[in-house]
Structure formats: structure tokens, C-alpha cells
Amino acid sequence: MLTPVTIFTPYPFTIGEKIHISEGPRHGDWIVAGLDDKKVTLRCPVSGKEFCWDRFCHVIETKEQEWPEHGKNKIQSTKPENSPMQIGMIGLGRMGMNMARRLLRGGHQIVAFNRTPDKTEQLAKEGATGAYSLQELVESLPSPKVVWLMLPAGKPVDDHLTQLQKLLSPGDIIVEGGNSRYKDDIRRVEALQGSGIHYIDAGVSGGIWGLKVGYCTMVGGEEPIFHYLEPILQTLAPKDGYLYCGPTGAGHFVKMIHNGIEYGMMQAYGEGFALLEASPYGQNLDYGRISHLWNQGSVIRSWLLELLENAFAEDPHLEAITGHVDDSGEGRWTVEEAIESGVAAPVITMALFQRFQSRKENAFENRVLAALRREFGGHAVKKIVTLKDTLNLK
């Protein structure tokens, strides 16, 4: 099946792609026979005749535009669904490594780079082409080059973008697939203006299970570039598992709110199971079976409950772990967005604050509360027993 894609420019053509020009002196079916940084060569599949034009001429959807030397034309591309692509993957952590594996298994060609070479070598054994510098990665990709970043948000992404901007050419594509803040995406696109390099932000959810079940992907940026990348997205995602969300930053914004909701859901499950544990029935309850039960038609069923079922199967009362809960940043950004937009988000906010509280043993603020209750009401406090106290008792 062929999916029509209207071409905006600069359009990232690929060798062998079928092109249909619907109007003008060059109307008819053509095949992309050659391309470089400046021009595209089209060949007629019947006569073998070829012609070239500047790949950065301005063709805007249904509007007609003068092309140098070739009059007025309208152009449409038909790119086969799931057609294999070549892509550079930078960052082979838990997410990046498995995303690269899923793409390899889907028939795509991967050029892989990681700061530490052992992971690059590991993926090379599984069919990828290993690259041991950004320059080697870029030189190993055909034009237009597609480079996907899976790096920690912030400085690591900015540092790599600075280097890639020097190595890539107009028409090449950078996909930032980590957990960047949407405001950073907007800033980066402004910095890339004039370079001709495209920037796509992709919020990716799926964690360590994505290799098996797929990655839910939320995409922002230029819509024609999104369509060009669809064979990659179709392989990464489960059915109906990816979406074009809007202009630059939209993908990461939707992913940020997704993670904020996740904070609230996790906190609610935590509080609910804590109430079960503290109840008179707690000793006799099987939390793994309850998690499974609640996923059978219940209104609170979810994948998170499936994961809890697995966790309780290994440790019925979670006695082998502590309650220290970190946050990756999106929860904070969601709360900041709520403040900036004036939208009340008390559940997400309190879920974030509860994570802060979880990291403190004998928190100072709680000691302040205990001291105040003692001072104004004479309420008893629990004192810390020191080694000296223990020795004096003896």
C-alpha cells in the first residue's frame, strides 16, 4: 500500500522514491535517481530521461510556484508504508539500546554511537553498524541523514547538537527522543534556523518493556518531516501508538503532561495499597492477586497494575526495597506549567511533593512540627536514642 505525502520543502528525498508531478511541463511519474546537498535528479521509468532541480525550491502544498527552468509544477510523493530506512542512534542506554534493537528487527539499518564503546560493540554484534565518533556516524549515513538522540535531558543534548550542527548538511534531520523540556526544543530550533537542518521532538514512553510491546511516541515539529519518518515510527510503536501532536515542542509537551498524570496515578495506587497494608486484613491479603483482580474489568485497571502484580509476586510486602522515590524532571515541569498557566493541578503537585518527602529520613520539617506540638500543647515527642544514651542505660 502506498501512502500519499504532500511535499513541502526542503523535502528529504530518498533514492528510489516514486515521485508524481501532477501539473506542469514535467507532469508524470518519476523516480529519484540521484541527490546531493543541492539538487535532486529524477528519472522517467519509461524513457529513462532525467532532469534536476534545486531541492530547496519552495513548493507549498497545493500552491503553484515557479521552479527554476521548469515552469509550474505540483508534486506528490508516494512512500511505501514500513519501508526500511537508515538511521543513526546516539545514546544506547536502557531506552536507546532497545529502540535500536526494535528498529533492527523491523528491517531498518542502524548506525549506532554511544559514549562508552562497549554498548556500540554489543549492538554491532546484533546487526548494527558501529560508529565510534559523531563524525563517523554522520559519514556512515546516506543523505538526507536521520540522527535520533536518546540522551539525558539538558546539557548532554545541547552538547551533541552543537557538534552535529557542524557535521550535518541542509535537509538532514535530528530527532530528540529523550525527555527534553519543550521550551528547550523551541530554543534549539531557533538556534538551528538558517542551517537547513530539521529538528523533531519525540516524547517516547515504554520503558524497558518497549522492545516487546512497542513505544508510545508523541511527535512535534514540521509535519512533512514527521510523515517522512513514519516508517521508523511505525516500527517503534504498537498499533495506533504514535501521533503528530503539532509544531516544535508539542511532542515533548504532551509527554510531559503524560508523565505528570503518571505521578498522580502512581501516588494513588501507593496510598491505596498502604491503606490495605495498615488495615486489620493486611496480613491476609495477597496484593499480587488484588492487582490482577483489579485489572479484570475494573475502572482502575492499567498497565501500572500489571507491573505491581509482578513486583508483589517477587516481594509480597516489598520488604527488600526502601521507599526512596526519585523524579526525572517532567513532574516538576508539569507543576511549573500549572503555575504559569493558572491551572489547578493539586493531585500531580502533591504526588511530586510526596516524592521529595520520601527521600528524607527523620526530616527536619517533621521535627519542627513535633517540637511545635510539644511547645503549644505539651504533646509527647519521640527522642532519638544515641549511643551515649544506650551506654548510660547500661
Side-chain angles (χ1 to χ4, degrees), residues 265 269 290-306:
M265 291 174 65
Y269 284 134
I290 290 174
S291 299
H292 181 79
L293 172 69
W294 284 348
N295 259 338
Q296 312 311 309
S298 162
V299 297
I300 63 169
R301 62 187 180 273
S302 76
W303 183 55
L304 292 174
L305 276 177
E306 291 182 36

Side-chain angles (χ1 to χ4, degrees), residues 46-321:
V46 178
S47 67
K49 292 182 178 179
E50 295 183 349
F51 79 98
C52 304
W53 82 87
D54 182 348
R55 67 184 294 183
F56 300 107
C57 57
H58 298 283
V59 184
I60 309 298
E61 201 165 14
T62 59
K63 294 182 181 178
E64 295 181 348
Q65 172 72 30
E66 288 287 343
W67 288 6
E69 303 178 11
H70 299 303
K72 295 182 178 180
N73 300 268
K74 289 184 180 179
I75 185 168
Q76 189 176 64
S77 165
T78 51
K79 177 174 282 294
E81 290 185 0
N82 297 314
S83 57
M85 296 182 68
Q86 288 183 276
I87 179 173
M89 183 68 74
I90 298 175
L92 302 177
R94 286 173 296 180
M95 288 279 283
M97 177 70 86
N98 280 344
M99 288 170 66
R101 285 174 171 146
R102 189 171 172 92
L103 289 170
L104 283 169
R105 295 175 187 180
H108 301 279
Q109 297 178 44
I110 302 297
V111 181
F113 171 78
N114 194 68
R115 181 176 56 85
T116 52
D118 56 328
K119 290 186 176 180
T120 302
E121 292 166 1
Q122 180 181 344
L123 197 63
K125 293 177 181 177
E126 299 178 33
T129 299
Y132 297 92
S133 69
L134 291 181
Q135 181 172 346
E136 184 181 356
L137 178 136
V138 169
E139 291 175 351
S140 300
L141 292 169
S143 294
K145 305 175 192 298
V146 179
V147 178
W148 191 302
L149 304 181
M150 289 302 296
L151 300 166
K155 190 174 185 299
V157 175
D158 287 328
D159 289 346
H160 280 74
L161 285 174
T162 299
Q163 296 179 66
L164 286 170
Q165 189 170 357
K166 300 173 183 176
L167 298 169
L168 296 174
S169 302
D172 293 339
I173 303 166
I174 295 172
V175 182
E176 164 35 18
N179 285 328
S180 284
R181 193 172 190 178
Y182 78 98
K183 293 180 179 180
D184 289 336
D185 295 321
I186 296 171
R187 169 179 58 80
R188 289 164 183 158
V189 165
E190 291 174 353
L192 287 170
Q193 279 185 354
S195 69
I197 299 170
H198 304 284
Y199 179 96
I200 293 289
D201 57 281
V204 182
S205 179
I208 59 176
W209 294 90
L211 176 61
K212 179 180 179 181
V213 302
Y215 297 91
C216 176
T217 310
M218 297 141 267
V219 184
E222 301 167 78
E223 188 170 5
I225 307 302
F226 159 78
H227 287 305
Y228 178 76
L229 295 172
E230 281 196 88
I232 294 171
L233 299 171
Q234 289 164 359
T235 300
L236 284 174
K239 187 178 183 298
D240 298 326
Y242 69 92
L243 180 70
Y244 176 70
C245 298
T248 299
H252 279 145
F253 186 88
V254 174
K255 175 59 162 53
M256 176 186 75
I257 302 303
H258 161 283
N259 280 34
I261 293 170
E262 175 189 305
Y263 276 44
M265 291 174 65
M266 291 172 67
Q267 183 65 28
Y269 284 134
E271 292 175 7
F273 279 98
L275 286 168
L276 292 175
E277 177 77 352
S279 75
Y281 310 103
Q283 289 186 336
N284 298 317
L285 291 174
D286 185 325
Y287 299 138
R289 294 185 66 184
I290 290 174
S291 299
H292 181 79
L293 172 69
W294 284 348
N295 259 338
Q296 312 311 309
S298 162
V299 297
I300 63 169
R301 62 187 180 273
S302 76
W303 183 55
L304 292 174
L305 276 177
E306 291 182 36
L307 299 178
L308 268 178
E309 181 182 353
N310 295 339
F312 285 131
E314 295 178 7
D315 187 356
H317 291 271
L318 306 182
E319 295 169 331
I321 61 175

